[in-house]
Structure formats: C-alpha cells, structure tokens
Amino acid sequence: MGCAGDERGYFRRGSPFWLAAITLSFGYYTWVVFWPQSIPYQSLGPLGPFTQYLVDHHHTLLYNGYWIAWLIHIGESLYAMVLCRSKGITDGRAQLLWFLQTFLFGIASLSILIAYRPKHQKRT
C-alpha cells in the first residue's frame, strides 16, 4: 500500500488464499463452539463425524481452544506493532492496518511483516 520509496507507510495485504482459508476455518470453528446443534454433520463428508465427535466428547477443549486462539491473535497483533516500530513503519494508518490484519489472520499476516526488510538509507 505505501509508496515504494516511503517505508514509513509500508503495508502489504496477505494472500487471498490464506485470508479466505483462515476466514472459513475460524468461521467454522466459531459455529462449532457456539452453535453445534445447528451443524448438518451428515452433509459435511468426513469432516461431519469428526466434528460431531469433538463436540460430543471435547466441547470444553474446543471452547477453551477458541479463546486461546483469539488470545494468540492479540499477542501476534501486539508483536506486529513492535515489529512496525523496529522496521521504521511509523505511519499510523499502516500500523493500524498491520494490527487489524494480524489480529484477524494471525501468522498469515505476521509472516509478511517478519519477512519485510526495509532499505536503510545511510545518514550523512
């Protein structure tokens, strides 16, 4: 998003494949945790019986895992802010975009920021 020459506003959107995969996965996970009675298990192929087994025998683990996943995403988002500062991304809008994208998509976003290597200009 930011200009090629302006590293302070660097932002890159994640891969559409990963953004879609994570959105669908987290959506399904939310459905399983909060509305398991409405899932058409028999229509989901091999995923149906597996999901039903997890709901029937490990619902507490699913519930706790759901909130732990969100806590991990919060931690990744905060780390993204630290990385922004250390890599010279000081533009408030770019930082907000990194925070939100990492909060929603986790490592799929954070890995882009980790891989980013700013070009440091010599100071004279």
Side-chain angles (χ1 to χ4, degrees):
M1 245 180 132
C3 298
D6 186 12
E7 294 176 354
R8 295 171 301 181
Y10 174 79
F11 177 76
R12 213 174 106 210
R13 186 174 46 92
S15 159
F17 170 77
W18 286 116
L19 299 184
I22 292 166
T23 300
L24 291 172
S25 298
F26 235 113
Y28 184 68
Y29 194 11
T30 302
W31 191 18
V32 167
V33 169
F34 294 106
W35 302 283
Q37 70 284 355
S38 69
I39 298 173
Y41 298 107
Q42 66 284 358
S43 302
L44 297 175
L47 187 58
F50 177 66
T51 302
Q52 190 163 27
Y53 170 80
L54 290 175
V55 167
D56 292 343
H57 296 94
H58 302 287
H59 193 264
T60 302
L61 182 62
L62 288 172
Y63 182 82
N64 291 337
Y66 180 83
W67 293 112
I68 289 169
W70 277 115
L71 286 174
I72 290 169
H73 278 231
I74 290 169
E76 289 170 330
S77 298
L78 295 173
Y79 182 56
M81 294 296 89
V82 171
L83 281 177
C84 280
R85 281 187 223 102
S86 74
K87 293 181 182 252
I89 302 170
T90 56
D91 180 69
R93 183 173 187 271
Q95 288 182 347
L96 177 64
L97 289 171
W98 279 115
F99 180 86
L100 292 174
Q101 180 174 263
T102 304
F103 177 70
L104 294 172
F105 304 110
I107 196 69
S109 171
L110 189 60
S111 63
I112 297 167
L113 186 56
I114 289 170
Y116 171 60
R117 301 284 182 246
K119 297 174 190 155
H120 295 289
Q121 297 176 348
K122 289 184 181 178
R123 296 181 185 183
T124 56

